[in-house]
């Protein structure tokens, strides 16, 4: 990927005009705490269909279910992937994004993500492994990572693309 290539856009497509299959849509959620650390989750299992390897780190993602609105998918992801309720999170204003064709060109699977950043508003100083738990067991562990230390982690490629230029999109 060209370092300056933008893979997320602030232009949001109305759900009725999305050309992708509902099965190829999802949400990508960047969770930060009050110290602006990013929550990374470590993959417990390989999921080679989506380029995920056991032990890699990722952001929270969830596949949209048929007829589900984006907001519902986000809150379902928070419940399923973190074992939390929406009450502990607030939307970071101005962070709605969606992936674009440049994102899909970088990956071997065509997937369309609606993206958002959420602030975890409780217990920023506690170990995230005591705060969160994956209901489906897909996540091995959780880590709060300062933004400037993300390069120290083996992050799944699609998540890395989003993180690398998410907050730099105008």
């Amino acid at each position: 990927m060209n370092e300056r290539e933008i893979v997320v856009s602030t232009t949001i497509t109305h759900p009725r005009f999305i050309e992708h299959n509902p099965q190829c849509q999802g949400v990508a959620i960047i969770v930060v705490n009050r110290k602006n650390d990013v929550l990374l989750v470590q993959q417990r299992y390989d999921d080679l269909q989506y380029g995920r390897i056991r032990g890699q780190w990722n952001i929270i993602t969830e596949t949209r279910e048929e007829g589900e609105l984006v907001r519902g998918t986000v809150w379902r992801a928070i419940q399923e992937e973190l074992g939390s309720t929406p009450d502990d999170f607030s939307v970071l204003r101005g962070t709605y994004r969606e992936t674009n064709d440049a994102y899909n060109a970088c990956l071997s699977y065509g997937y369309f993500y609606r993206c958002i950043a959420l602030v975890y508003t409780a217990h920023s100083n506690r170990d995230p492994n005591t705060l969160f738990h994956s209901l489906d067991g897909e996540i091995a562990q959780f880590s709060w990572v300062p933004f400037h230390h993300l390069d120290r982690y083996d992050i799944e490629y699609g998540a890395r693309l989003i993180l690398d230029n998410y907050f730099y999109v105008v």
Side-chain angles (χ1 to χ4, degrees):
M1 177 182 88
N2 180 331
E3 201 172 314
R4 296 177 193 260
E5 188 168 26
I6 303 299
V7 299
V8 293
S9 170
T10 57
T11 304
I12 305 298
T13 307
H14 191 283
R16 281 191 291 243
F17 302 119
I18 296 173
E19 297 176 9
H20 305 277
N21 298 331
Q23 296 78 19
C24 294
Q25 295 179 35
V27 295
I29 307 165
I30 297 173
V31 177
V32 298
N33 63 18
R34 291 180 188 178
K35 300 185 311 184
N36 289 322
D37 297 331
V38 176
L39 181 67
L40 292 182
V41 299
Q42 190 175 46
Q43 299 293 137
R44 183 178 303 276
Y45 307 109
D46 289 339
D47 188 349
L48 300 180
Q49 177 183 1
Y50 300 109
R52 295 181 183 147
I53 299 170
R54 183 178 149 227
Q56 277 187 319
W57 294 88
N58 205 343
I59 57 177
I60 302 297
T61 59
E62 187 64 51
T63 302
R64 179 179 165 251
E65 292 181 355
E66 186 76 39
E68 187 175 49
L69 299 176
V70 172
R71 180 184 304 240
T73 309
V74 169
W75 296 133
R76 185 169 53 80
I78 294 300
Q79 292 169 337
E80 292 178 6
E81 302 301 326
L82 300 179
S84 292
T85 65
D87 298 338
D88 291 332
F89 298 85
S90 64
V91 173
L92 192 58
R93 292 183 62 157
T95 63
Y96 292 107
R97 309 274 190 271
E98 64 184 37
T99 56
N100 57 28
D101 290 337
Y103 177 84
N104 284 337
C106 294
L107 302 172
S108 61
Y109 58 92
Y111 220 82
F112 180 82
Y113 284 104
R114 299 295 182 92
C115 310
I116 193 167
L118 301 177
V119 177
Y120 179 67
T121 57
H123 312 296
S124 291
N125 293 320
R126 288 185 50 197
D127 177 356
N129 293 291
T130 65
L131 300 172
F132 305 120
H133 62 279
S134 171
L135 296 182
D136 60 11
E138 290 179 359
I139 297 171
Q141 65 176 322
F142 305 86
S143 183
W144 290 119
V145 180
F147 194 75
H148 62 280
H149 288 168
L150 290 173
D151 62 337
R152 298 178 183 177
Y153 286 74
D154 179 18
I155 298 175
E156 183 267 334
Y157 185 57
R160 171 70 70 188
L161 290 173
I162 291 171
L163 285 167
D164 281 350
N165 66 82
Y166 194 85
F167 293 106
Y168 304 106
V169 176
V170 181

